[in-house]
Amino acid sequence: LIGSVALVVGLGVRPMATMRLLYPAEYVVGAPALAVLLLGYLAFSLLTIVGTILNGVGRTATTTAIGLTTVVLTMSGVYLALKIGLAAPGALPLARAATGMASSALPLCAAGMAAGVFAGLVLSLIALWRHFRATFAPLSLLRVLLAATTALALGRVWPVAGSAGLL
């Protein structure tokens, strides 16, 4: 949990700077989607770990069912997000690229993907609880959430965007 959250915070604290660092300038329009996709990455990382634990104790049918359900939920979430996002005016993902803003379709698709994977994570945590009567310690989850939220919020306002040495 701590390692995955650290990666998400490291990449998500300044999504526009991350996009400028890793991709050509045209891709910066995807920064709002990156911020949401990183939450999906976090859920996927934890889903994979919990799935590995369940597979390791012989619950392969459960893991397979959760995996297939996650795929269906993720596909449905992305489909619904695309349907909503592309119905909006100026909806083509790069329609406003010249002004530096992508349409709402990109972050909506990212949210649909993240929601589907997060639902799969919840299902896997329920299965883990049913088998072991164990899951993440609530106080640890709270601490990690508080630290991540603080780091993300602080990173968005300090140092000031455009200051010397800032990506």
Side-chain angles (χ1 to χ4, degrees), residues 41-116:
Y41 162 78
L42 176 63
F44 182 73
S45 297
L46 299 175
L47 173 66
T48 303
I49 292 167
V50 175
T52 302
I53 292 168
L54 292 170
N55 273 337
V57 296
R59 300 288 185 176
T60 55
T62 302
T63 307
T64 301
I66 291 169
L68 291 174
T69 303
T70 301
V71 168
V72 170
L73 290 173
T74 303
M75 287 173 28
S76 301
V78 170
Y79 176 78
L80 182 62
L82 269 174
K83 195 168 184 168
I84 293 168
L86 292 178
L92 292 176
L94 297 178
R96 291 179 268 164
T99 63
M101 281 295 293
S103 79
S104 61
L106 288 174
L108 281 175
C109 278
M113 188 282 304

